[in-house]
Amino acid sequence: MARGERGIPMAAVERLLKRRGTQAGVDRVSDKAVRAMKEILEDVALEIAGRAAALAQHAKRTTVKPEDIKLAAKALFRGL
């Protein structure tokens, strides 16, 4: 995302990284690590959203349901 565009807040990503880091014995997280994680999370979210929309369309619905999101995420991570 370009500067000024919205997305996942950096502070939220930093909190997640710090929470897991603390559990693993890591005290600090670099700004570059936070930005990298933010970009990856946004890419994954967009991929899941696209797959979920396709599932809803296949079911002849115009509403994406929670089960579409769960199935799309499961399919995405199964492919890794």
Side-chain angles (χ1 to χ4, degrees):
M1 292 188 149
R3 185 182 171 118
E5 288 187 40
R6 295 183 186 243
I8 300 172
M10 295 282 281
V13 175
E14 186 173 10
R15 272 193 311 274
L16 289 171
L17 286 168
K18 283 185 176 181
R19 184 178 307 148
R20 287 299 184 181
T22 300
Q23 293 171 352
V26 174
D27 295 327
R28 299 184 315 172
V29 178
S30 74
D31 290 342
K32 288 182 180 180
V34 174
R35 281 193 297 276
M37 177 66 100
K38 177 184 182 321
E39 289 175 12
I40 290 168
L41 289 174
E42 288 171 346
D43 289 345
V44 169
L46 287 172
E47 180 65 28
I48 292 170
R51 290 176 183 223
L55 289 167
Q57 185 179 31
H58 178 74
K60 297 183 179 17
R61 288 186 275 108
T62 58
T63 302
V64 174
K65 295 186 173 187
E67 50 268 22
D68 297 324
I69 299 292
K70 291 174 185 174
L71 187 58
K74 188 175 182 179
L76 175 64
F77 290 113
R78 190 176 5 185
L80 294 179

